[in-house]
Amino acid sequence: MPKVTTSAGDDLFYRDDCFAPPWESPPATLLLHAEAETGLAWYGLMPRLAARTRVLRPDMRGAGRSVAMRPGQAWSLDRLASDLVALMDGLGLENAHVVAARFAAPVALRLAAASPSRVATLVLCSGTPDPATDYGPRATRWADEIDRVGIDAWAVGAAQERLGPDAEESDLEGWSGLLADTDRATLLGLLRGLSAFDASADLPNITCPTLVVAIDGSPAQPLETTTAWQRQIPRAELLVLTGRGDHVAASHAREVAGAVQDFHKKAAKDAGGGKRKERGERDGKRDRSKAKEEKREQRRERRNA
């Protein structure tokens, strides 16, 4: 079972898939799942992404097969971000493209701000830098509902909210089962500790190319709210898809996968253009220096003639 161990001795489980030609060395893409999920939630993006990149899907701390949250343990953005650094270190990766959904967005933002060399590009799907502000009342309602009727019943409504009213019944049933597998105590601790997930101060410090993907009809995240914080990221672009769910990576998986691929290509092209420009500038400087030296040599020859 693929795991890495952090410096604190905590085990982190991950899935590692790549279907690119075996003679290629594709870049790595790190997918960070939303709250109450595991790395399995990214299944809809895998056919396209894994065909061109090495896709890593960790179960984040407290989820799935990774280390559980201890009773009373406080959530920490720095700890969650350091888990991702440990994962990349364990796999020998200098950096990775990072894609994060919903409450994983603050973790990705903290990683990109604190360890900029480790994040090649950043894609945030239905994310928010401050879940406590955007989801506070909803999180309280969710926690109360879990206490009252249990996590299985909560998961049915949560799946509907994430996928939207137009979702297929089979998808709703599958997502309900995925969400219901979440550890109850861990989820309640997260929902009641959202203040620890505020990454708003990190927004101006994000230096990598960033894509924010949103849904125009999301009840939880009005588009104007998303636009307001997206504009605080220096190099961020906004992609708006049509729908009424709260989890664009789940409800629009194919479109998101295509957008991620296109964004990676654009970032690589822009970086290549910058390198060509730098090389051109260096070559130009060398040519100008050579021309000056030739003129000096010609003047010396005339003086000595």
Side-chain angles (χ1 to χ4, degrees), residues 92-154:
L93 298 174
E94 292 185 5
N95 58 33
H97 298 288
V98 177
V99 183
R102 287 171 61 95
F103 290 11
V107 182
L109 288 166
R110 178 57 52 85
L111 174 66
S115 304
S117 64
R118 311 308 294 266
V119 182
T121 65
L122 181 61
V123 179
L124 306 175
C125 303
S126 293
T128 169
D130 184 8
T133 297
D134 292 343
Y135 280 87
R138 282 180 173 236
T140 299
R141 172 170 60 81
W142 291 337
D144 292 343
E145 184 179 353
I146 292 170
D147 277 338
R148 187 176 68 256
V149 301
I151 197 166
D152 288 347
W154 167 82

Side-chain angles (χ1 to χ4, degrees), residues 86 152 175 242 276 295:
D152 288 347
W175 273 88
T242 299
R276 286 193 295 272
K295 288 182 179 179

Side-chain angles (χ1 to χ4, degrees), residues 4-300:
V4 296
T5 303
T6 70
S7 59
D10 296 325
D11 286 337
L12 302 172
F13 172 82
Y14 65 94
R15 295 169 177 84
D16 187 349
D17 299 285
C18 182
F19 303 112
W23 52 85
E24 294 184 359
S25 298
T29 299
L30 184 60
L31 305 183
L32 308 182
H33 62 79
E35 73 285 359
E37 297 177 7
T38 69
L40 290 173
W42 294 102
Y43 69 92
L45 281 73
M46 293 302 295
R48 293 193 69 166
L49 291 190
R52 292 296 178 187
T53 66
R54 178 185 180 185
V55 181
L56 302 169
R57 294 178 289 162
D59 287 353
M60 297 176 69
R61 179 180 292 269
R65 304 182 193 179
S66 286
V67 60
M69 293 292 288
R70 296 184 295 275
Q73 184 179 15
W75 289 94
S76 164
L77 273 185
D78 290 331
R79 179 183 292 114
L80 292 169
S82 68
D83 286 345
L84 303 177
V85 172
L87 174 61
M88 286 189 275
D89 287 346
L91 296 175
L93 298 174
E94 292 185 5
N95 58 33
H97 298 288
V98 177
V99 183
R102 287 171 61 95
F103 290 11
V107 182
L109 288 166
R110 178 57 52 85
L111 174 66
S115 304
S117 64
R118 311 308 294 266
V119 182
T121 65
L122 181 61
V123 179
L124 306 175
C125 303
S126 293
T128 169
D130 184 8
T133 297
D134 292 343
Y135 280 87
R138 282 180 173 236
T140 299
R141 172 170 60 81
W142 291 337
D144 292 343
E145 184 179 353
I146 292 170
D147 277 338
R148 187 176 68 256
V149 301
I151 197 166
D152 288 347
W154 167 82
V156 174
Q160 182 75 66
E161 290 179 345
R162 296 187 186 206
L163 300 184
D166 301 324
E168 297 288 340
E169 190 61 36
S170 59
D171 290 333
L172 291 172
E173 184 177 346
W175 273 88
S176 296
L178 180 66
L179 299 175
D181 281 341
T182 304
D183 179 73
R184 180 179 180 275
T186 298
L187 180 56
L188 287 174
L190 185 152
L191 294 175
R192 289 169 174 157
L194 290 185
S195 60
F197 282 75
D198 186 2
S200 300
D202 293 318
L203 295 175
N205 301 320
I206 306 302
T207 59
C208 65
T210 302
L211 176 66
V212 176
V213 187
I215 292 181
D216 59 2
S218 170
Q221 293 177 297
L223 196 54
E224 57 268 24
T225 300
T226 299
T227 303
W229 63 260
Q230 172 256 324
R231 289 174 175 168
Q232 297 180 50
I233 302 176
R235 302 175 63 187
E237 302 175 17
L238 178 64
L239 172 64
V240 181
L241 300 178
T242 299
R244 291 183 287 170
D246 293 336
H247 193 343
V248 68
S251 60
H252 296 64
R254 288 176 58 86
E255 295 94 327
V256 171
V260 169
Q261 283 188 322
D262 291 343
F263 189 65
H264 289 174
K265 291 177 183 177
K266 180 178 181 295
K269 182 178 179 180
D270 291 346
K275 291 178 181 178
R276 286 193 295 272
K277 182 179 179 181
E278 291 174 2
R279 287 196 296 269
E281 291 175 348
R282 289 196 297 269
D283 291 344
K285 290 179 180 178
R286 283 195 294 268
D287 290 342
R288 289 191 293 272
S289 297
K290 183 178 180 181
K292 290 180 180 178
E293 181 58 34
E294 289 176 349
K295 288 182 179 179
R296 284 195 291 268
E297 182 62 28
Q298 290 171 0
R299 287 194 295 268
R300 286 194 293 266

